[in-house]
Amino acid sequence: MNVRVGAATDIGRVREGNEDSFLAREPLFAVADGMGGHLGGEVASRLALETVERLFEERAGSLTEQVEEANRAVFERSQQDRGVAGMGTTLTAALVEGERVRLAHVGDSRAYLFREGVLHRLTEDHTLVHRMVQEGEITEAEAERHPHRSVLTRALGVDPGVRVDEGYVRISPGDRLLLCTDGLTGMVPERRIGTVLGDVADPQQAADRLVSEANAAGGVDNITVIVLDFSGNGEPDDPVRAPATATIPDDAPVPAGDERRAGRDGPAAPGRRTTRRAIGAGVAVAVIVVALVGIRLYLDSQWFVGVSDDRVAIFRGVPAQVVGLDLSSVVVETAIEADEARALALYRDLDEGITAEDRESAEAIVEQIRLDVARARADGP
Ligand code: MN
């Protein structure tokens, strides 16, 4: 199978740095979306892809094992270097192996197959809102607008081990594969992505067009896109091939401590999905344990300012509840009376939480509240 490649990455229209990275070195392609402040995000996504690329060149292990090793590399760096502590990244990789493409995936970047005018999503987002949709708490449409839609339940580099979704898809001539970060899918509806992929024949032009559409829609995040076009090896009549099977497994439960093995089961056999579902129903307790651990991993790097015991406080986590469980904990309780802050129009919604990028920003918000409250008191009635 011959591959033609188009790839583009763009800072977008709002962010000050580009924390996305991509790798396009045939037959290995990947996108990564870093997080953890400017520096951390850039380091995490780049280090993860460099690690996968190096191990691939050394022919060390399977794609999933290379991604697991990338996880360790990012985690260790974040432990050693305070400047990038808490960083992490998504990673969605595609390895072309003859007439099929192997996929490995962690986070909320995505892989799609565009075949005969229809766009098929191949990966599942590891996000809080996706889990809430699965649990029937919110609808797909609500998830798309949810204020915490970018909170990840799984990411690379935030823990010594990570569970990697793995699968493969059979490719036929004429197929188009899309890898992208959420800077595209958060801005451009899937229907529109499909239209662009159907309209623009050249893969580089298609990638560029998708980036410019994301920017036209606001470009609030970094945008990265890889488009792969497959064609036969010049034979006029390619034999009819089996229909594509997207075998990236569901967010199936794996008992804690068994997660390393999860990605190494080799090629997914037909029916594995069903099996996994059946296992999932059987070990409900394990599901809850894994879900909580998964959420906590990344929630620990989220911050917001809210109210605790009628005082302004700094929290770690997100101001939301899932199945009745608090996803946050108080880190610092200040002496500022919540009532005094709420009395100012700016902080009327304090109880819902004001999100902050990191602890320093949360402290800066508290200082601003302190100043504003003092000023209001001085102006007095
Ligand atoms: Mn992003």
Side-chain angles (χ1 to χ4, degrees), residues 48-377:
L49 294 187
E50 281 170 1
T51 305
V52 170
E53 182 181 16
R54 178 174 55 77
L55 294 172
F56 178 74
E57 281 169 2
E58 293 170 2
R59 298 171 196 277
S62 69
L63 180 61
T64 294
E65 287 167 330
Q66 290 156 6
V67 173
E68 289 170 340
E69 191 55 40
N71 175 75
R72 277 187 282 279
V74 175
F75 180 72
E76 277 164 21
R77 176 80 63 87
S78 86
Q79 297 288 301
Q80 290 156 5
D81 182 352
R82 289 193 58 157
V84 295
M87 68 176 171
T89 184
T90 72
L91 198 158
T92 301
L95 176 63
V96 182
E97 297 174 324
E99 291 176 2
R100 65 182 199 177
V101 172
R102 181 165 293 281
L103 297 166
H105 164 72
V106 175
D108 68 350
S109 298
R110 290 179 183 174
Y112 289 94
L113 175 67
F114 185 70
R115 169 175 290 170
E116 283 160 19
V118 182
L119 190 66
H120 307 270
R121 200 194 294 178
L122 301 178
T123 49
E124 184 167 83
D125 292 349
H126 300 138
T127 55
L128 187 58
V129 290
H130 181 71
R131 176 156 292 149
M132 289 161 90
V133 169
Q134 285 181 314
E135 285 168 1
E137 292 185 45
I138 57 172
T139 64
E140 277 292 350
E142 285 167 338
E144 277 169 28
R145 290 183 298 270
H146 198 281
H148 306 305
R149 61 184 174 273
S150 61
V151 174
L152 298 181
T153 52
R154 251 197 263 175
L156 215 75
V158 294
D159 193 71
V162 70
R163 192 150 56 92
V164 179
D165 280 359
E166 171 189 59
Y168 68 86
V169 57
R170 288 209 169 276
I171 292 297
S172 304
D175 282 348
R176 200 164 230 200
L177 197 76
L178 168 69
L179 302 179
C180 60
T181 60
D182 69 333
L184 175 67
T185 50
M187 290 285 114
V188 183
E190 286 182 342
R191 180 189 296 240
R192 181 65 200 156
I193 292 173
T195 302
V196 171
L197 291 177
D199 284 353
V200 185
D202 178 74
Q204 185 59 51
Q205 283 176 14
D208 291 338
R209 173 78 74 83
L210 289 172
V211 166
S212 65
E213 296 234 348
N215 275 324
V220 301
D221 196 1
N222 307 141
I223 310 140
T224 301
V225 175
I226 299 180
V227 176
L228 303 177
D229 281 351
F230 296 91
S231 56
N233 291 319
E235 310 108 56
D237 285 309
D238 272 283
V240 177
R241 292 189 171 77
T245 42
T247 50
I248 283 279
D250 277 0
D251 203 3
V254 175
D258 208 10
E259 53 187 75
R260 288 283 162 64
R261 244 185 43 212
R264 293 188 186 169
D265 299 341
R272 169 171 166 173
R273 197 179 179 114
T274 326
T275 316
R276 284 204 167 217
R277 271 189 210 280
I279 293 169
V283 285
V285 174
V287 181
I288 292 166
V289 170
V290 171
L292 292 181
V293 169
I295 288 170
R296 185 185 54 77
L297 293 178
Y298 180 49
L299 290 179
D300 279 355
S301 54
Q302 304 286 298
W303 297 84
F304 69 96
V305 176
V307 176
S308 168
D309 280 340
D310 297 323
R311 310 260 174 194
V312 174
I314 295 177
F315 294 76
R316 202 172 204 183
V318 292
Q321 289 197 326
V322 175
V323 252
L325 290 158
D326 250 320
L327 295 179
S328 60
S329 57
V330 178
V331 175
V332 181
E333 206 174 287
T334 70
I336 308 167
E337 301 261 4
D339 274 342
E340 282 193 281
R342 278 191 211 105
L344 305 172
L346 201 54
Y347 310 118
R348 200 177 291 145
D349 299 329
L350 185 65
D351 295 81
E352 284 157 37
I354 304 167
T355 49
E357 197 165 288
D358 49 26
R359 185 176 178 143
E360 285 72 44
S361 330
E363 281 167 355
I365 292 168
V366 166
E367 276 323 297
Q368 192 58 52
I369 295 175
R370 198 191 305 278
L371 270 173
D372 291 344
V373 164
R375 209 172 285 148
R377 218 186 270 154

